Amino acid sequence: MIGGGQLARMTAQAAIALGQTLRVLAVRSDESAAQVTPDVVLGSHTDLDALQRVAAGATAFTFDHEHVPTELLDQLVAEGVNVLPPPSALVHAQDKLLMRRRLSELGAPVPRFSAVSTVDDAVAFCAEIGRPVVIKTVRGGYDGRGVIMASTVSEVRDVVSRYLDDGVPVMIEERVQMRRELAALVARSPFGQGAAWPVVETVQRDGICVTVLAPAPGLSEELGTAASEMALSIASSLGVVGVLAVELFETADGGLMVNELAMRPHNSGHWTMDGARTSQFEQHLRAVLDYPLGDTAALAPTVMGNVLGAPETPTMSMDERVHHLFARMPDAKVHLYGKEERPGRKIGHVNIVGGTESVESLRERAERAAHWLSHAEWTDGWDPHA
């Protein structure tokens, strides 16, 4: 797996149960995944030699991020490496403009968009649609980076000129009027088998996912089925192998619109580790190894809260914070990534799996647990010694 982050770390955990060893290409020996797998290659994802070393003798070659240059992946394929998802599919998660164009060809609903070569191109697009826009870097960017909301033409001029002056390609699209954000997570094997988990609602703050509600509360069966079928169709049309996350907008008029694609395990699927019969990490391995795919049924409603680094790292150790959390919420499922705490950084997540509780109650507890782990503060002032 290319990348030594938390997605590779959690994939390594799933690999152990399947009798597999996950070899990881990491930049540093202390990265999340490098801490938990014995087979680590140190190097950069932009270095062909490092990619060849990590691929040597491996059954399958896959990713915990999409940033490996396409030309290097093409070279590996030419050398006989089993790259999954293949570069011809992965490029649609690397290049947002290419993704928009291809999805339009497939008839998938996407926001109105345009390539931008000059500031005048962006201004003309604004005049055409007559509403606020989003400017995105064509490549790179995640967790809100490389995505700029612009409400006025002067803002558009300023942002676009800044990017173009720095030689960074950008695109522009309409800002969608939406009710909420959803995610349809599916998997596809080389054999062509597909599987879909229940569609979830994702809650974003400053461009970063903070909470996932599974399944999405109040989502009609008709719309949920449409979202899953669209995601499976996209996976098949693009030739995806592995997990595919289709990030969606539920529009103000009750429709669906595709926002982004990710061809790897995804933050919106972390709930599956405790709330589904087959986790997204096990499923990704099943897919790239061409095993039959696992059952994706939800065991119960589940809410995931991301643990994001606090503005100031607490003096209380993480071990002690976990101790206190378990004392209050013995059913909490904690997943920590072995990362140094920094403001806003994803350092772990908490899953709360439902029983008789409402989704609202599950959400309140998951978000409270995540806040406690990051800040060492109970949002309701709870005192275990009172």
Side-chain angles (χ1 to χ4, degrees), residues 258-313:
V258 177
N259 180 26
E260 302 280 358
L261 302 179
M263 295 181 192
R264 51 172 171 76
H266 190 255
N267 202 170
S268 67
H270 290 352
W271 70 274
T272 63
M273 297 176 76
D274 302 296
R277 294 194 181 279
T278 306
S279 79
Q280 64 167 341
F281 301 101
E282 178 184 335
Q283 194 81 298
H284 188 73
L285 289 172
R286 288 194 187 210
V288 300
L289 295 170
D290 207 10
Y291 291 168
L293 299 181
D295 185 350
T296 51
L299 298 173
T302 303
V303 176
M304 182 218 73
N306 265 333
V307 181
L308 305 176
E312 293 186 15
T313 301

Side-chain angles (χ1 to χ4, degrees), residues 102-148:
R102 182 71 176 116
L103 291 180
S104 295
E105 292 171 3
L106 295 174
V110 296
R112 288 176 289 176
F113 69 95
S114 176
V116 173
S117 299
T118 66
V119 173
D120 288 342
D121 291 339
V123 171
F125 179 81
C126 293
E128 178 186 341
I129 69 164
R131 64 166 59 181
V133 298
V134 183
I135 299 156
K136 296 181 176 181
T137 55
V138 171
R139 283 181 173 260
Y142 63 96
D143 285 347
R145 300 180 183 92
V147 177
I148 308 294

